[in-house]
Amino acid sequence: MALPLPPKPNSRLSSLLLPLLALLCLFLLYHSTRHSPFLSRNTPPLSQTTPAALFLSLSSAAAGGGAAAANATIAGDLRALTLRPHLAGTPAAAAPAAFVLSRLRAAGLRTLTREYSPLLSYPSAAAAAELSLLSPNGSLLAALSAAEPADPAARLVRPYHAYAPSGAAAAPAVYVNRGREEDFRALERIGVRVEGCVAIARRGGGNRGGVVARAAERGAAAVLIAGDPGGGVERGAVLLGGVGDPLTPGWGAAAAAERLGPEADEVRRRFPRIPSMPVAAATAAEILRTLGGPPPPPEWATEGLGFDIAGVGPGPNLVNFTYQEDRKLAIIQNVFGLIRGREEPDRYIIIGNHRDAWTYGAVDPNSGTAVLLDIARRFGILLRSGWRPRRTIILCSWDAEEFGMIGSTEWVEENLGNLHSKAVVYLNVDCAVQGPGFFAGATPQLDKLLIDVTKKVKDPDLGDGTVYHTWERTDGGINIERLARADSDFSAFLHYAGIPSADFYYGKEFPGYHTALDSYSWMENQGDPMFHRHVAVAEILGLLTLRLADDPVLPFDYVSYAAQLQEHANALSTLLDDGPSLEPIYSAIQEFSHAANEALKEGEKLQLQEKGENFSILWRRAFNDRLMLVERSFLEAEGLKGRWWFKHLLYSPPEDYESQLSFFPGIADAISRAANQSDMERQRIIQHEIWRVARAIQRAASALKGELF
Ligand SMILES: *[C@@H]1O[C@H](CO)[C@@H](O)[C@H](O)[C@H]1NC(C)=O
Ligand SMILES: *[C@@H]1O[C@H](CO)[C@@H](O)[C@H](O)[C@H]1NC(C)=O
Ligand SMILES: *[C@@H]1O[C@H](CO)[C@@H](O)[C@H](O)[C@H]1NC(C)=O
């Protein structure tokens, strides 16, 4: 996205209009300070407070002077966003897009939109999915429901897996537990094969597409994934190996863009080969209760099913399953709110959340949308009190995340040149609130800032204390995850573009994930009855944004990055046998650590100089650029082996969804691929990937140092 300058007014016209405009502005200003629901006479001018203090004061009704408290505004926005289901690419998606646009505009932000036409996937409207149980001779035993019990009026898209191909199977069923690699191996040990069968898994086996792919590899004819008892039916995409529109890998899916055909290798390998569908626990139970064959392997606890199964199959009865997919180019829309930076308009602080939902989306993702809008509201008040950020702030409302992070990925791919040279950071919020407890993921240069900020935000669940206070006391203490997952919109920013990123949420393992239960009433009754957790997330994200946008010297800490790399290397060394040597990585980390310590000192010196006389703005700008570009050095143009789109050699998802490593993905891939190789070959492959990581860290060290020699 370009940041166009305001159009030049026609000079003759403007000489007439300007005085009039000025009068109008004065009138509006006077009027708005008297009657605005946002900025009351009680709001202190910025000369008497700091932007951060003003931002925080806007959570309560008192400071808003008549405006509703933040938690009430958030609750109202969330209700409006979740009145109806709003699946990406459908007509129902228009209302929340318009709502977000109007809220950003009302806050006083400049708004923009960007549309794409990616390939999306829906269940066919013409032919419903059909599911039945047949006796071994093919006669009908029972018709089974493919619907979601918690959606009796069928207001939602019926349960399906996006990008599951059309197909049919009438075959014996096999129970595969959660469908993990270890589950299939356990079946093999007791002599049960899934070839030609309908595999029935229960949810929780990690990446959904991975479960289907593992069954397909073993020759299964189809896969059904059961929800939790009492829960709903979990919709979701089963696209493989990457994110973004499958037809435009590496470039934006604009309407007139080049598109690969379905037969292109790159496209084909992203689609699952066999049909699959999510089903209700009760539907799966009707099949599982009739299974013969050997009893389940002892290590499979069946309590999650709510009953004991006698055998895992196959058969003797048959499952008859047909599914019809409707795959088509659909229109999606990203919505942006922009605050142009005053001194460094060409440096971007980007905050994003997706808007599209499988169902009502009260948790996933619109708790995050309501948070984003509250941040916009508060920034609007700051703007009216005279604040202008040093750097440009871009609030992003992404579309089609649920189909594979498509809205954000297409935008990053389209704007890669600008983002590479100008994006400082990407802050993501997806399911902002799904229960109690603060969780964070970030690239390590943001750790210190993140911790600082949580010390300034009130704990939403306690009368006193801060988010930090509670976070520190949880099991395992402060634990910041590294973002090696590709399951939210930070993926393209970090894994593809190498932009420092962070992600936040309250609560974990929401039971209504992607089901009819993800509704406003769940949030109101269970998730966050007073909407205080929402407020906490808004304040954490808002304060982070203010620091990143306004601090003269970027608050990036590479000393903690170096320490984290050292920990990664140590963890890796316990996984590797004597063969490959980690020496290249250790010595690169040493170099990086040295550069980080030097940068720390230089930053402190700059901060001192700023108060003195011989201060150079250019020096500071150059120093900030070094801080900003370090993360880019971890990218490698040709990407990971066999997965070129993933270019970040420290944090990208490993190919094997069950890898024990959540860092150094190239090494993780080499370890899992080399399992069947000779010792020498195995060592060679792993050592090469070790060298690649070492070189990336070395590049980062020299970028941070900022000198060629
Ligand atoms: C098929 O099997 C069912 C029970 O499994 C039995 O009731 C039915 O008579 C059988 N039909 C034929 C045509 O053999
Ligand atoms: C399986 O179901 C489909 C769709 O309802 C039906 O057309 C087909 O005849 C069934 N197959 C068997 C073997 O009953
Ligand atoms: C907002 O919080 C206050 C207490 O701080 C509570 O009384 C009120 O019900 C909350 N509003 C909503 C909409 O939950």
Side-chain angles (χ1 to χ4, degrees):
M1 184 192 58
L3 299 176
L5 297 163
K8 279 209 183 87
N10 176 303
S11 59
R12 222 152 44 101
L13 201 62
S14 64
S15 66
L16 280 172
L17 279 179
L18 274 180
L20 274 176
L21 272 176
L23 267 178
L24 184 67
C25 286
L26 272 178
F27 170 76
L28 284 178
L29 193 68
Y30 171 75
H31 197 71
S32 71
T33 45
R34 287 197 58 202
H35 300 292
S36 159
F38 300 117
L39 191 64
S40 78
R41 270 165 296 176
N42 302 338
T43 305
L46 265 182
S47 53
Q48 289 166 31
T49 181
T50 64
L54 180 53
F55 184 91
L56 285 179
S57 77
L58 297 171
S59 71
S60 68
N71 68 332
T73 319
I74 288 172
D77 283 355
L78 184 64
R79 186 193 278 285
L81 286 162
T82 56
L83 283 176
R84 275 172 283 279
H86 44 285
L87 186 60
T90 68
F99 182 78
V100 167
L101 196 67
S102 75
R103 297 296 277 167
L104 294 175
R105 207 172 273 156
L109 272 56
R110 179 156 167 238
T111 55
L112 300 119
T113 61
R114 178 74 181 122
E115 290 186 351
Y116 298 103
S117 305
L119 185 71
L120 301 189
S121 158
Y122 306 93
S124 153
E130 294 196 48
L131 194 60
S132 58
L133 194 61
L134 310 177
S135 68
N137 66 16
S139 69
L140 182 70
L141 284 178
L144 301 175
S145 168
E148 178 166 24
D151 179 33
R155 292 187 66 201
L156 304 170
V157 67
R158 48 180 211 258
Y160 78 109
H161 284 159
Y163 304 103
S166 301
V174 180
Y175 179 54
V176 301
N177 197 29
R178 294 193 192 272
R180 298 163 297 194
E181 190 61 34
E182 68 193 70
D183 294 323
F184 285 105
R185 290 219 190 99
L187 282 178
E188 278 149 24
R189 276 199 296 279
I190 59 170
V192 172
R193 292 163 54 97
V194 299
E195 196 177 338
C197 296
V198 175
I200 303 188
R202 60 182 170 124
R203 69 173 291 277
N207 182 290
R208 201 178 296 112
V211 171
V212 176
R214 281 190 286 275
E217 244 167 62
R218 291 168 169 86
V223 178
L224 301 177
I225 302 185
D228 293 329
V233 183
E234 180 186 307
R235 294 152 186 82
V238 288
L239 213 51
L240 292 165
V243 302
D245 173 31
L247 302 186
T248 60
W251 64 92
E258 176 194 3
R259 284 188 167 71
L260 300 182
E263 67 297 333
D265 250 10
E266 181 125 6
V267 175
R268 260 198 341 215
R269 68 176 178 199
R270 292 206 55 198
F271 296 116
R273 297 201 306 266
I274 56 173
S276 67
M277 193 170 75
V279 296
T283 300
E286 283 193 66
I287 303 169
L288 296 177
R289 283 179 203 282
T290 72
L291 288 182
E299 64 267 32
W300 293 4
T302 48
E303 76 271 19
L305 289 170
F307 62 92
D308 291 331
I309 58 171
V312 295
N317 294 327
L318 309 178
V319 169
N320 186 14
F321 168 51
T322 60
Y323 174 71
Q324 194 67 42
E325 183 199 15
D326 181 13
R327 217 175 256 186
K328 60 185 178 202
L329 297 186
I331 296 176
I332 64 167
Q333 188 182 51
N334 294 333
V335 175
F336 303 90
L338 197 78
I339 305 174
R340 198 176 158 85
R342 183 196 52 210
E343 288 171 40
E344 300 186 74
D346 62 342
R347 289 292 175 270
Y348 311 143
I349 311 301
I350 306 169
I351 303 121
N353 154 262
H354 76 95
R355 193 180 61 244
D356 65 303
W358 286 115
T359 68
Y360 302 98
V363 168
D364 183 3
N366 299 125
S367 58
T369 316
V371 160
L372 191 79
L373 295 180
D374 189 54
I375 295 171
R377 176 187 70 91
R378 298 190 199 205
F379 282 169
I381 301 174
L382 262 65
L383 284 170
R384 285 191 287 279
S385 78
W387 166 76
R388 289 288 175 280
R390 169 186 295 275
R391 305 183 182 89
T392 291
I393 296 174
I394 309 173
L395 302 185
C396 316
S397 171
W398 309 119
D399 203 351
E401 186 269 0
E402 296 294 6
F403 289 81
M405 287 42 84
I406 292 180
S408 57
T409 301
E410 298 313 306
W411 189 74
V412 170
E413 289 176 342
E414 184 170 78
N415 294 291
L416 189 64
N418 265 317
L419 294 173
H420 258 171
S421 51
K422 305 176 192 167
V424 173
V425 71
Y426 175 69
L427 307 174
N428 189 62
V429 58
D430 187 335
C431 305
V433 181
Q434 42 188 321
F438 178 65
F439 296 90
T443 45
Q445 73 275 61
L446 295 169
D447 287 3
K448 193 166 166 294
L449 174 65
L450 180 59
I451 287 169
D452 278 359
V453 157
T454 58
K455 289 177 179 166
K456 303 205 160 60
V457 175
K458 270 206 326 238
D459 182 287
D461 296 305
L462 302 175
D464 57 352
T466 61
V467 169
Y468 174 78
H469 191 86
T470 314
W471 193 17
E472 191 194 31
R473 280 163 183 72
T474 52
D475 285 352
I478 304 276
N479 178 16
I480 300 174
E481 191 208 336
R482 301 308 164 203
L483 298 170
R485 317 172 257 125
D487 61 359
S488 195
D489 292 302
F490 54 77
S491 184
F493 286 93
L494 178 60
H495 307 146
Y496 183 70
I499 296 165
S501 297
D503 184 46
F504 317 93
Y505 44 103
Y506 254 88
K508 240 184 183 157
E509 274 145 44
F510 164 54
Y513 178 70
H514 292 186
T515 76
L517 306 175
D518 186 2
S519 66
Y520 184 81
S521 75
W522 183 86
M523 186 62 82
E524 197 180 27
N525 294 319
Q526 290 170 64
D528 195 12
M530 306 252 257
F531 290 87
H532 288 179
R533 292 173 186 154
H534 282 79
V535 172
V537 177
E539 293 184 346
I540 293 167
L541 204 51
L543 290 187
L544 277 172
T545 305
L546 286 174
R547 289 283 312 272
L548 288 158
D550 280 343
D551 276 14
V553 175
L554 284 176
F556 282 0
D557 172 26
Y558 285 103
V559 176
S560 77
Y561 212 131
Q564 177 65 83
L565 291 180
Q566 188 69 35
E567 270 179 46
H568 289 339
N570 293 343
L572 178 60
S573 77
T574 65
L575 281 180
L576 288 176
D577 43 39
D578 310 332
S581 160
L582 283 175
E583 207 33 54
I585 290 186
Y586 281 124
S587 96
I589 293 175
Q590 228 170 35
E591 226 175 284
F592 185 72
S593 174
H594 180 75
N597 280 303
E598 291 299 307
L600 184 70
K601 280 185 238 157
E602 192 176 343
E604 283 163 1
K605 214 186 297 170
L606 256 171
Q607 265 153 356
L608 281 179
Q609 290 232 339
E610 209 156 316
K611 297 176 186 111
E613 280 149 30
N614 54 358
F615 167 67
S616 156
I617 289 178
L618 270 181
W619 175 21
R620 181 177 67 203
R621 167 87 174 193
F623 180 68
N624 280 338
D625 278 357
R626 278 154 55 198
L627 297 181
M628 175 178 80
L629 293 173
V630 170
E631 195 74 38
R632 260 42 128 224
S633 304
F634 298 129
L635 302 177
E636 202 155 284
E638 70 267 35
L640 295 173
K641 193 152 184 276
R643 302 188 296 142
W644 62 268
W645 190 89
F646 289 102
K647 302 197 183 295
H648 200 295
L649 296 192
L650 306 190
Y651 303 118
S652 286
E655 176 176 52
D656 175 2
Y657 298 114
E658 296 176 355
S659 166
Q660 295 181 52
L661 290 183
S662 55
F663 50 85
F664 303 168
I667 302 178
D669 288 0
I671 292 174
S672 52
R673 281 182 198 164
N676 307 322
Q677 311 274 2
S678 73
D679 262 8
M680 240 177 65
E681 185 60 4
R682 185 182 122 81
Q683 186 165 331
R684 193 189 61 77
I685 294 171
I686 296 175
Q687 191 68 57
H688 175 64
E689 291 298 331
I690 289 175
W691 275 112
R692 288 181 81 194
V693 169
R695 286 191 292 266
I697 298 173
Q698 233 164 17
R699 282 198 299 273
S702 103
L704 187 51
K705 222 163 58 182
E707 274 161 27
L708 292 171
F709 306 102

